Amino acid sequence: MGVMFDTDAFYKASCDANFVKVADIARNIAWTTQTEWGKLQITINLSKPEKDPRAIAAAAKAGPSEKADYIDPATGRARPCPLCVTQADVDCGYAKRIDLAGDPWALWYSPYAYYNEHCIAMSWEHRPMHIDRAAFESLFDVVDALPHYFFGSNADLPIVGGSILSHDHYQGGRHTFPMEVAPLSESFDMPGFPGVQAGIVKWPLSVIRLRGANRKEMADAACVILDAWRDYDDQSVGIVSHTQDVRHNTITPILRRNGDAYEMDLALRCNITSEEHPLGVFHPHEELHHVKKENIGLIEVMGLAILPPRLQQVMEERSMTRDDVGHAFAQVLEHAGVFKWDEQGREAFRRFIGVL
Ligand SMILES: [Zn+2]
């Protein structure tokens, strides 16, 4: 599969039509902080308006070139679901229609981009997020079609997923995230997959990186890891895969091309809660909530913090410098890691690798 459309032209048209709010995005505050995990990227997002019903009502009265992702371009009304696409979106040039894994999807650029050429691919059908073989196949399809973009999916469970679990979607774009340049701390073989190089990424979250040129072998290897992880328990480090029928383990997958090979990062996630950590054991703990208490989704997993405007005030009140916030974000990511970087955590990670 080659490029399905010219992303340069589509992106430029989206900016020119003000679908991508270039001027608003320019107001965001951004910096990097050097940490033991590399240079983390921090943004305070001043561009995206709060979801105030009055703002939605005002936007509904605006012309078609003023629409945002919550506004239906055909009717000017707020969308019942922010990711439900209509033919009107395609007709007005807001969205492109694509096919992934035999299913109709659409792609548009995020109005309030968090990074360069931040795009969202969403299923045409309104259906929940799911991490499974079909999701991996769709990621390979979209990266094959747009090999200059990465694509990844949020996890499909609360606490460890993104803010929208109800509509199947991926995020992509042209940006190098800190996780992508993080090295492997160790390599391992996956039995039955001689063409796949596997390793543990030196990263605060628990990430397995697969690299290989054969798409089918890569997808099969990813499925082996997902299947094993879904049912994996390790009480010694607090990993609980199920409470009765409720599933806690899932994966945040990211796929990109690297030269002739595919590179896939699989972040292992577990949304178990406890009395001590009612919002999540592998979630930023209370002492970090002044910086971050929302879900750690795909983009933050990769090392780009999206912080709300209130952070400016927090920094003033607590006399925090930008680097203090950057280091707090590193801790946020450490809390989200299921296998910590102490001896016990490393041994536990190797025990999981041992069952693959
Ligand atoms: Zn929807």
Side-chain angles (χ1 to χ4, degrees), residues 2 80 197 311 314 345:
Q197 297 170 282
L311 248 292
V314 169

Side-chain angles (χ1 to χ4, degrees), residues 16-37:
D16 289 349
N18 202 32
F19 298 156
V20 178
K21 312 288 181 193
V22 180
D24 291 332
I25 293 164
R27 296 175 54 227
N28 291 343
I29 301 169
W31 71 89
T32 61
T33 295
Q34 185 66 49
T35 72
E36 72 164 305
W37 311 109

Side-chain angles (χ1 to χ4, degrees), residues 12-336:
K12 185 176 184 305
S14 297
C15 292
D16 289 349
N18 202 32
F19 298 156
V20 178
K21 312 288 181 193
V22 180
D24 291 332
I25 293 164
R27 296 175 54 227
N28 291 343
I29 301 169
W31 71 89
T32 61
T33 295
Q34 185 66 49
T35 72
E36 72 164 305
W37 311 109
K39 246 185 213 170
L40 299 183
Q41 300 168 353
I42 316 293
T43 63
I44 297 180
N45 189 357
L46 301 177
S47 69
K48 195 167 184 171
E50 299 288 330
K51 286 176 195 169
D52 181 324
R54 284 167 301 181
I56 292 173
K61 290 186 194 138
S65 67
E66 294 300 315
K67 59 192 167 287
D69 56 347
Y70 293 93
I71 305 301
D72 190 298
T75 63
R77 290 197 199 103
R79 292 170 191 273
C81 158
L83 296 177
C84 269
V85 167
T86 65
Q87 186 58 38
D89 294 315
V90 177
D91 293 343
C92 77
Y94 190 29
K96 294 276 187 191
R97 179 112 184 220
I98 55 176
D99 280 299
L100 302 180
D103 256 352
W105 284 62
L107 186 144
W108 68 37
Y109 286 101
S110 174
Y112 300 105
Y114 294 149
Y115 50 83
N116 186 41
E117 295 179 43
H118 180 177
C119 59
I120 300 173
M122 62 284 277
S123 56
W124 200 271
E125 181 193 5
H126 181 84
R127 64 174 183 234
M129 297 286 294
H130 55 99
I131 298 298
D132 51 18
R133 177 177 287 273
F136 293 146
E137 294 292 347
S138 296
L139 286 174
F140 277 101
D141 272 0
V142 71
V143 166
D144 277 352
L146 303 172
H148 51 305
Y149 281 4
F150 83 92
F151 277 89
S153 177
N154 263 308
D156 54 353
L157 295 178
I159 299 175
V160 296
S163 56
I164 301 172
L165 287 166
S166 57
H167 195 126
D168 204 2
H169 69 284
Y170 309 133
Q171 301 188 66
R174 198 197 292 247
H175 182 73
T176 302
F177 290 87
M179 187 176 77
E180 179 179 341
V181 294
L184 296 184
S185 70
E186 56 193 276
S187 303
F188 61 91
D189 292 325
M190 281 191 66
F193 300 98
V196 173
Q197 297 170 282
I200 295 172
V201 181
K202 186 177 180 296
W203 191 245
L205 281 100
S206 307
V207 180
I208 294 175
R209 177 169 295 159
L210 303 179
R211 191 179 150 84
N214 183 312
R215 169 184 162 152
K216 184 179 182 306
E217 204 182 359
M218 286 283 289
D220 288 348
C223 286
V224 165
I225 292 169
L226 176 64
D227 288 347
W229 176 246
R230 274 209 180 130
D231 292 330
Y232 194 74
D233 293 276
D234 186 340
Q235 286 185 0
S236 71
V237 289
I239 294 165
V240 179
S241 71
H242 292 81
T243 308
Q244 277 101 40
D245 288 342
V246 179
R247 197 158 59 79
H248 298 302
N249 288 1
T250 185
I251 278 178
T252 303
I254 298 105
L255 183 66
R256 60 186 168 264
R257 297 289 301 188
N258 187 342
D260 292 337
Y262 295 100
E263 216 165 69
M264 193 174 215
D265 287 337
L266 301 169
L268 308 177
R269 313 297 300 274
C270 174
N271 77 352
I272 189 72
T273 58
S274 69
E275 255 175 55
E276 193 189 352
H277 302 298
L279 296 186
V281 173
F282 304 106
H283 179 81
H285 294 169
E286 206 175 343
E287 68 267 25
L288 293 169
H289 286 181
H290 59 290
V291 172
K292 187 77 188 177
K293 67 177 170 195
E294 298 84 5
N295 299 351
I296 301 307
L298 168 72
I299 293 167
E300 294 187 307
V301 164
M302 297 188 288
L304 169 58
I306 314 293
L307 303 175
R310 69 173 172 83
L311 248 292
Q312 284 183 303
Q313 204 185 331
V314 169
M315 286 168 73
E316 233 167 78
E317 283 167 7
R318 297 182 179 233
S319 307
M320 292 176 90
T321 65
R322 290 183 169 196
D323 275 353
D324 294 334
V325 175
H327 289 295
F329 179 57
Q331 277 187 294
V332 159
L333 298 182
E334 288 164 19
H335 286 185

